[in-house]
Amino acid sequence: MGTENPSAPPRAQSAVAGNPTRSRHRTGGVIHENTRHTARFVVIGNHLTQHPDLSLLAIGLGCHIQSLPTGTPVDIKSLTARFAEGTKRISDALRELEAHGYLRRERVRTPAGRIVTRTISCNQPSHRRRAADTGCPAPQPLPAPERTPHPRGPRPRKALPAVPQPSGIAATALHQQATDLLAGLRRHDPRLLLSATDTEHLAPGVIAWLEREVTPTAVRHALTTDLPDEPLRRAAALLAHRLAAQLPPLPPYRTPAGPPSPTRHRLRNCDGCDHAFRAPETETHCRDCRTAAQPPH
């Protein structure tokens, strides 16, 4: 009698503990119908999903990043290709997550010597457990590159890519126009501020475009459209590549106007010898008859 039956159904409990007067059937708010996950799921804390300061886009993006396998690209370009939000909104959401500790971006050096950006997703930014438990290793400082003193001073600057060269006689007249166009690129993007040396190198390439009857507006559009989002380390090299790779073809060849065709008179008979000859209507005799009629000198 005193033994409980483990197979007996449990006693029904109220939907709201401590308040039996409230009904199970609520008229407002969310009602959850949960099914236990057994595969393909990730545990995400409410501190992220219900964060009071993060935007809805940042919360959703943070949940998406935490659900990805290790090694999945989460740069702005990859996320923009995956979602309908634009580059600016995704960039702002990443900065929110980074400001609240859910993301950390570090620049590390690969064994090949390249500097790359590594993104670390932290599922509990405020938890102070050991780095091996949290999955968020402490940032390692970049190893200082070994520098060997150069016997002739600093390392020489890498040469810029070659640009198309003008071929017409109007190249000198177009030089100032090309220089002004290059100097004005910084008004469209401050990263395109060029030095005098870079401008002098790029000017012949711009002249080659202008010689092909491309308007300055079209040249400017070709040089400033779809620039990468990251900082431009060598803006002049990028512009030189575009001038060479996107060089338009020469305009259709125009045959220069030549001298007018000679007038072809109709045949007529000479009044002197009755031979046929070509001459204006005013001539009545052929050349031989006119020569014979001239008096001797």
Side-chain angles (χ1 to χ4, degrees), residues 75-181:
D75 55 283
I76 297 176
K77 183 178 180 180
S78 301
L79 294 172
T80 304
R82 169 64 176 80
F83 297 103
E85 284 74 11
T87 301
K88 185 179 185 305
R89 296 190 62 194
I90 289 181
S91 176
D92 293 343
L94 289 175
R95 279 195 291 268
E96 287 186 60
L97 294 172
E98 193 171 9
H100 288 84
Y102 289 97
L103 280 185
R104 187 167 70 249
R105 288 183 273 198
E106 304 171 353
R107 295 179 65 81
V108 297
R109 188 183 303 277
T110 65
R114 292 184 55 197
I115 302 296
V116 298
T117 300
R118 179 177 63 184
T119 302
I120 300 175
S121 172
C122 299
N123 65 342
Q124 295 193 45
S126 60
H127 209 279
R128 297 300 181 182
R129 293 187 303 179
R130 291 185 300 112
D133 296 334
T134 60
C136 295
Q140 300 296 327
L142 293 178
E146 297 182 0
R147 296 176 179 173
T148 57
H150 199 280
R152 299 181 182 177
R155 182 179 300 176
R157 183 187 180 193
K158 187 177 179 180
L160 294 174
V163 298
Q165 296 299 312
S167 57
I169 59 175
T172 304
L174 295 174
H175 186 272
Q176 187 62 46
Q177 186 177 8
T179 303
D180 294 343
L181 188 151

Side-chain angles (χ1 to χ4, degrees), residues 31-101:
I31 299 176
H32 296 283
E33 292 185 0
N34 294 335
T35 303
R36 182 180 178 83
H37 291 286
T38 59
R40 294 181 58 81
F41 70 95
V42 63
V43 177
I44 298 177
N46 285 345
H47 54 83
L48 171 59
T49 58
Q50 300 177 15
H51 201 286
D53 299 323
L54 288 176
S55 65
L56 182 60
L57 178 58
I59 292 174
L61 190 56
C63 293
H64 172 74
I65 293 175
Q66 289 193 20
S67 71
L68 295 175
T70 299
T72 303
V74 289
D75 55 283
I76 297 176
K77 183 178 180 180
S78 301
L79 294 172
T80 304
R82 169 64 176 80
F83 297 103
E85 284 74 11
T87 301
K88 185 179 185 305
R89 296 190 62 194
I90 289 181
S91 176
D92 293 343
L94 289 175
R95 279 195 291 268
E96 287 186 60
L97 294 172
E98 193 171 9
H100 288 84

